[in-house]
């Protein structure tokens, strides 16, 4: 569980929450629990802040994830100041795919000298 993230909803004050996992690119909702205002009070729209809440991602502007919340999830040892979050494609992989696409061009069709039109 990732604790104390700040969820910025559209046209609302920021909320603190705990999430079970990082959202994947294919997710359509943010599932969280322990919802509270930044001052620790229960939000006015929630009956029980310990309940599970499902926010459609269309209403989530962005999330702030403090470094202290990600302490047990850090996986990249190259730079301890940079967190390694799972992603669909990395920049290095995208660059490698671009180079491969440039070198793997399909062969041009063979033409006989009779098929060529004089210029």
């Amino acid at each position: 569980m990732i604790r104390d993230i700040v969820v910025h909803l559209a046209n609302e004050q920021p909320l603190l929450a705990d999430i079970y996992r990082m959202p994947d690119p294919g997710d359509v909702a943010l599932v969280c629990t322990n919802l509270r205002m930044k001052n620790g009070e229960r939000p006015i729209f929630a009956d029980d802040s310990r309940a599970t809440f499902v926010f459609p991602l269309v209403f989530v502007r962005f999330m702030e994830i403090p470094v202290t919340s990600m302490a047990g999830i850090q996986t990249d040892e190259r730079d301890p100041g940079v967190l390694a979050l799972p992603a669909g494609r990395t920049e290095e992989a995208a660059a490698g795919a671009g180079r491969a696409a440039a070198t793997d061009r399909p062969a041009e069709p063979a033409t006989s000298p009779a098929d060529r039109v004089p210029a």
Side-chain angles (χ1 to χ4, degrees), residues 52-81:
T52 299
F53 295 87
V54 179
F55 293 108
L57 284 178
V58 70
F59 296 116
V60 177
R61 291 181 52 224
F62 63 94
M63 298 183 325
E64 291 180 64
I65 304 169
V67 174
T68 56
S69 297
M70 297 292 289
I73 300 177
Q74 189 168 0
T75 59
D76 193 358
E77 296 298 325
R78 290 179 290 179
D79 185 1

